[in-house]
Amino acid sequence: MIINMSPFADLGPLPGLDATTLEGLSPDQQQSIITDVSKICRKMMENLGVTWKPQPVDPTLRTALVEWIKNEVQTCIGKPVNKAFLLSADGSAIFTEYVYEDHDAQTKLCMAKILTLCLYLDDLAEKDDGMASQAELFLFKMLDGGLSSNTCTIPPQYRCWLELFRKHSLDLARCMSDPIATSMLLHSFTVFLEATALENRIQLDRNIYDTATCDMETERHRDQAYDQAVNQGREIPLPLDTDWVTDQEFSHLKANTFPTWLRERTGGTEIFIISSFRCPGGIDIPTAYWLPAIYEMRSFSNDINDLYSFAKEMLAGDTHSFIAMSTRDKRALGVPGTASDGGWCLRDTLKEMCGRVLQTSARINRILRPKGNLECRYGDDGKVLSVDEMVGMLKKEPIVEAGDGRKRQDMMSALALRLWETHQRGYVAYHLQSTRYRAFEMFDWVREMAGEKGEGPEWILDQFATPSAVTTGPEEADGGTLAQLDMKGAYGGHHQNRLSLLRRVTQTIKTWMGKQ
């Protein structure tokens, strides 16, 4: 089905997005931008077919995570975990419940464990230079005898965390039956840890990196200086004295792609994409069915994160987000837009991004959908079959069919598409319903849909909420990992709702546990 329409259709003029920069905005200007971004986020949700539903709490997953922390993590580190780690575990459980809702218990638990470690180590490396420097050595030490070898010089307080990271990276990778998918997943984990360490180094050498990734305005001034040097008879070798302009957007003047490269490495999106195709029921989907779409999947994930993070990043004073920088660059180039002066503005950047999200989503659909019989996707009632139903049908099919094997291939494609649909919709819903992204505070329609059923609870933290069980270390002096989860922002009002939900869900899970 082809829909030919603007991604902003029916949204009106969006006057708040006439802004051309995030610097120096008044509270009223920020609120005007949030009002318009709220409309865009809701429209995107509708365009992607995401429907509102309650937080899919998985009692089995949450109980298993608590047992893992008590029996393995605390034993490994030799002391109680701190609040930062528990908040990481809560955030990981919520993400897993949304994005991996159709997956089996083993995959969900493996994902929640390693994601907890990723979030915690990312935060710890930011606050502890020792952790960051040891993370830099992770892959080298793994290839040079392992973390437990006699030659490993990593201090024990860091080695225990890296050993947990190694172990649970492997546990998730083992869920994949295809060796290339296993290797890709492990590679993604080492890339993530490496990029986490690199972020710490960038912060230490911020002036050098800022100079290397300057904006177009700065580049123009530098070009003028080079031109003056040439006019004075100075020799400047190629290619410094020549810009090869091959397009009309002057892309040679744009900020280089290092920030995007770094974001793709630290985001770990391929970890979540690859593991989404570990299917329940013992049916694994060969990489040939989904790998051709991985670039589009990564682009989709990054753009969705940028879109739904934009408002809360603006409120946090971040003027260097992807959306803000893209707006600044195109405006500096003089690219025509819809601002009151005819130049480029936030409205244009967001419209371009939303169009790209919809186009990317459509390409993923075309790559994954069955190439033969489309009807294999549907039941007798005309509705898309569930993952369990598709797995059941595949188990009934013979492994090798006589003649044309198209039916099984089509069913595999249909299953890959169904798993991606769960991933895509869960990923969007997570951004809307997770307190990390503050949609509950900022967007009226989210509060109306959710009522008191916001993301919920820091349930895992509640299981350890005693002074003796939750320690505080120097690495969480600023409030701990995922500080965004503690809503104390200007919009307020959500905290009591979350406490109310915490009591209800805690009682529900305790009741469920009592029946086991």
Side-chain angles (χ1 to χ4, degrees), residues 508-516:
T508 298
I509 297 179
K510 286 180 177 178
T511 300
W512 177 88
M513 290 172 64
K515 294 178 180 179
Q516 303 307 302

Side-chain angles (χ1 to χ4, degrees), residues 440-441 447 451-452 487-499:
F440 194 100
E441 296 178 82
R447 290 194 294 275
E452 287 192 351
M487 301 321 307
K488 300 175 183 177
Y491 289 80
H494 185 30
H495 190 58
Q496 291 302 318
N497 287 334
R498 289 173 62 238
L499 288 177

Side-chain angles (χ1 to χ4, degrees), residues 3 8 52 75 117 131 141 172 262 282 302 316 365 406 413:
I3 302 176
F8 287 0
W52 192 272
T75 299
L117 292 165
M131 182 74 253
K141 292 296 184 182
L172 182 61
L262 182 63
N302 287 333
N365 181 286
R406 176 62 63 184
S413 295

Side-chain angles (χ1 to χ4, degrees), residues 456-492:
E458 290 158 1
W459 185 83
I460 293 174
L461 176 63
D462 184 60
Q463 308 309 301
F464 294 80
T466 63
S468 61
V470 182
T471 61
T472 302
E475 68 272 15
E476 55 174 325
D478 69 345
T481 296
L482 301 182
Q484 301 96 320
L485 289 172
D486 188 12
M487 301 321 307
K488 300 175 183 177
Y491 289 80

Side-chain angles (χ1 to χ4, degrees), residues 215-276:
D215 58 83
M216 288 179 288
E217 196 71 30
T218 303
E219 287 299 319
R220 279 179 163 164
H221 288 306
R222 288 179 176 173
D223 283 353
Q224 292 173 1
Y226 275 119
D227 289 342
Q228 292 174 3
V230 172
N231 293 335
Q232 293 170 2
R234 303 283 179 84
E235 179 182 355
I236 300 179
L238 286 171
L240 291 179
D241 64 345
T242 303
D243 281 318
W244 298 98
V245 182
T246 60
D247 57 51
Q248 298 303 310
E249 292 191 0
F250 296 93
S251 58
H252 63 293
L253 288 176
K254 294 181 182 178
N256 66 38
T257 54
F258 175 73
T260 302
W261 174 84
L262 182 63
R263 181 187 62 171
E264 289 177 348
R265 295 172 82 81
T266 58
T269 53
E270 289 189 8
I271 294 171
F272 312 126
I273 292 167
I274 295 168
S275 53
S276 282

Side-chain angles (χ1 to χ4, degrees), residues 310-327:
F310 175 64
K312 65 106 172 174
E313 288 171 348
M314 178 187 67
L315 289 178
D318 185 357
T319 60
H320 291 81
S321 65
F322 177 82
I323 292 172
M325 295 293 288
S326 180
T327 301

Side-chain angles (χ1 to χ4, degrees), residues 3 5-8 40 44 47-48 299-300 303-304 307 347-363:
I3 302 176
M5 59 180 284
S6 165
F8 287 0
I40 293 171
M44 179 59 69
N47 287 338
L48 293 173
S299 173
F300 173 89
D303 279 339
I304 285 293
L307 174 62
R347 185 187 304 107
D348 302 305
T349 301
L350 286 165
K351 185 176 182 180
E352 184 179 65
M353 172 178 283
C354 290
R356 185 168 61 243
V357 167
L358 296 177
Q359 291 167 0
T360 301
S361 180
R363 285 199 300 273

